[in-house]
Each structure stands twice: as structure tokens, then as C-alpha cells.
Amino acid sequence: MSSYNQQIQHPLLEQQQVALWIKREDLLHPIISGNKFRKLKYNIKEALALGQKTILTFGGAYSNHIVATACAAKEAGLKAIGVIRGEELKEKWKTNPTLVQAASYGMQFLFVTREAYRLKTEADYILKLKNEFGDFYHIPEGGTNALAVKGCEEILTKEDERFNFVSCAVGTGGTAAGIINSLTENQQVLAYPALKGDFLKAEIDKFATNEQWQLVTDYHFGGYAKVTEPLVQFINEFKRDTGIPLDPIYTGKMLFGIWKSIIQGNFTKGTKILAIHTGGLQGIKGMNQQLIRRNLPVLDL
């Protein structure tokens, strides 16, 4: 499969004379979709080139990265280990749709306390894990490293040079950095963090090769994995209007922010925007479990 650009038709866009297109990276692969496909592409190749037999990575209970890594490892003939944040999940992970799916691809789990999880970037902790599991190829939480950024530099194509703005959601910053590195000199990236704060600027700066970008920090909805009733309503309406499903953690928040900016007239007439759909749709089932517990409307499946 491959991605393609889909133009959004809506009276608001006609009224504001703004063109909005969605790059359907969510269609790259049935499971390893969106930016996870891009991030894992060269990491899996590197693991195989090094003769590694096992991939180890880190993630939360509903991590898109965990599912994608499990599937990519299986397709490459590699074992996969997921270090999962939250020791309490050890006895109840089979009620979690994300972890059940990752396990179906053969991923082995290590559930750790939140204190231990904070050591995920420490060399001594990685060495401890190698003593426990044997040698492995380490992919960081969220998949961001230099090889991931290289993969994300392939998201934009020649035809995308016509867009004034390229918009993407931000988790660890690797996808945004890859897109930033592949811009033409007349383009700018609008990066929408799913987390509170602007600390991601430093993370993106580690890999970005130019300054043609800005963080839009007003649409995190309370922080990572936090959603509100208006966001759920927007995602459901967007799907009904366009046929495009959005995930509630990343792409949904980004599109909400873009839509709000268009309504407010923040884009000049004639502006062309390309929004990157980074996948993550597997997380909808887990989010709906949480929404039901909170007696809130759920996301359409």
C-alpha cells in the first residue's frame, strides 16, 4: 500500500478560501501505519544488517509504537520485547486491546514501575536489560532516533512542494524533524504537540536542519492521552463529513487545531495546507474504554 493526498471539501474552506489536504499515511500498512512505518523502516533494516535477532523498545499501555514494532519485528523474522510502563498491568494486560494485539504478533512484555521506566534512556539500565534478555537492537520510546528521522524525511514527495504549510502532530519529535528536513525553502511546518509544554522544541532541534517550523502548543487538551468531549465530537463529525478517521491522541488534536485556526481566519486567502495523517487508529478502542468509564461520548469505529 502507499499514501496519497486527499483534498477536504467543506463550506468553511470555500468561505475562507483555504485549501486543506490530508496525506493518508495511515494507509501505508494495515498495522504498521503512518509515521511508525517510516520510523521503523531503517531501524529494522539496521537490526537485520547487524545480525540481531531481537528488538527491544519502550511504550505505554496504549502505545501505537508498541503495536507497530511488534508487527514489524514479526514480519522481519525478529523477536520483540516491549518494556511497558506500569507494573500494575502485569495481571490485567489481557483486557488492554493494544497489548493484546502486540502479543498476537509475538511480543514479550516486561512490565516495570514508573520509576524504573524513567531510566529508559540510561545506558546502565539498557545494559541491565541486556543481561536479563541477552543482546538486542534497542529502539527508543516512540521510535525516534537518527534512522527514524531518515525514514520520516521520505514522507513528503515532489508533488507536496506546492503546499505553503505542512502540519503534523508531535509525540517525541522525530516525525516533525524528518518533515522539516525535507521542506523546500518556501514551506513551513506547523507542529502540534500532544503533550503539555514547549520542551519538544529541544527534541526537534536535535535532528532538524532548518528553522522553518513552529510549535503550536494550544491543542494538547490537557496533556498526553487526555481528550475532551468537544474533541471527540470534532473527530466523529470530521469522519462523517470526510470519511477520514482520526486518532484522538495525535491527528485528531492536530486537525482540531488547524480547523480552529481556519475558523479564526489565521490563514491568508489562497493558503494551501497539507496535514499529515500519522495513523494510530488502533488506539481508538482503548480510548473508548476510558471514555465509557468517564460516561463520555465514544469515538465512532
Side-chain angles (χ1 to χ4, degrees):
M1 297 177 71
S2 61
S3 65
Y4 66 90
N5 294 346
Q6 179 175 341
Q7 185 171 15
I8 304 304
Q9 306 289 346
H10 193 278
L12 171 66
L13 300 172
E14 294 178 15
Q15 176 187 340
Q16 298 291 352
Q17 296 180 40
V18 171
L20 175 63
W21 296 69
I22 309 292
K23 181 172 279 290
R24 298 297 304 275
E25 290 278 288
D26 57 309
L27 301 177
L28 280 174
H29 186 281
I31 307 300
I32 318 163
S33 70
N35 61 338
K36 301 309 177 189
F37 182 94
R38 304 292 189 178
K39 287 181 169 183
L40 289 166
K41 176 180 175 179
Y42 290 110
N43 274 291
I44 294 293
K45 285 185 176 181
E46 180 71 2
L48 294 171
L50 293 172
Q52 296 284 1
K53 306 296 183 186
T54 303
I55 299 283
L56 180 141
T57 195
F58 296 80
Y62 297 98
S63 168
N64 299 322
H65 171 67
I66 287 293
V67 171
T69 302
C71 184
K74 181 180 181 181
E75 288 191 355
L78 298 167
K79 295 179 182 178
I81 299 168
V83 181
I84 308 299
R85 181 180 62 247
E87 199 174 32
E88 73 280 359
L89 294 165
K90 186 174 183 179
E91 304 302 325
K92 56 181 181 180
W93 69 266
K94 290 184 179 179
T95 65
N96 179 302
T98 295
L99 298 179
V100 167
Q101 187 175 1
S104 75
Y105 303 127
M107 178 173 269
Q108 175 185 350
F109 299 130
L110 172 66
F111 296 97
V112 300
T113 64
R114 282 158 175 76
E115 291 74 23
Y117 192 83
R118 293 190 191 103
L119 302 174
K120 61 186 179 291
T121 60
E122 301 292 330
D124 287 348
Y125 187 60
I126 301 300
L127 181 60
K128 178 185 174 184
L129 292 173
K130 288 190 175 183
N131 290 334
E132 181 175 350
F133 293 107
D135 198 22
F136 54 74
Y137 182 87
H138 170 220
I139 298 178
E141 178 187 45
T144 290
N145 57 17
L147 289 174
V149 173
K150 178 183 177 182
C152 291
E153 288 173 355
E154 298 176 354
I155 291 174
L156 297 183
T157 63
K158 185 73 175 174
E159 73 165 311
D160 299 330
E161 294 179 3
R162 61 197 172 105
F163 294 100
N164 307 108
F165 292 98
V166 180
S167 175
C168 69
V170 184
T172 53
T175 302
I179 294 170
I180 290 163
N181 294 349
S182 56
L183 294 175
T184 67
E185 61 182 16
N186 298 317
Q187 294 178 301
Q188 187 174 51
V189 163
L190 301 176
Y192 290 77
L195 301 87
K196 282 184 180 180
D198 59 0
F199 66 94
L200 280 166
K201 186 178 188 312
E203 296 302 309
I204 295 172
D205 274 334
K206 289 179 183 177
F207 299 104
T209 57
N210 66 65
E211 297 295 325
Q212 296 166 224
W213 60 281
Q214 60 177 293
L215 285 179
V216 185
T217 58
D218 303 325
Y219 299 100
H220 52 70
F221 288 85
Y224 184 71
K226 300 287 182 65
V227 301
T228 64
E229 192 168 338
L231 177 62
V232 171
Q233 181 180 352
F234 170 80
I235 291 172
N236 286 341
E237 288 179 356
F238 192 86
K239 183 180 179 182
R240 287 193 288 269
D241 290 344
T242 67
I244 302 174
L246 305 174
D247 87 284
I249 307 303
Y250 295 106
T251 310
K253 294 179 178 180
M254 172 193 68
L255 260 299
F256 186 101
I258 293 172
W259 209 252
K260 199 64 167 273
S261 292
I262 293 172
I263 290 171
Q264 294 170 348
N266 294 341
F267 295 106
T268 59
K269 295 185 186 307
T271 297
K272 297 181 178 66
I273 306 164
L274 178 65
I276 310 299
H277 194 316
T278 47
L281 299 174
Q282 69 80 27
I284 291 176
K285 289 182 180 178
M287 180 56 70
N288 277 347
Q289 287 181 344
Q290 297 182 47
L291 291 170
I292 289 169
R293 285 196 291 269
R294 293 164 56 193
N295 292 315
L296 292 174
V298 298
L299 294 148
D300 294 341
L301 292 172

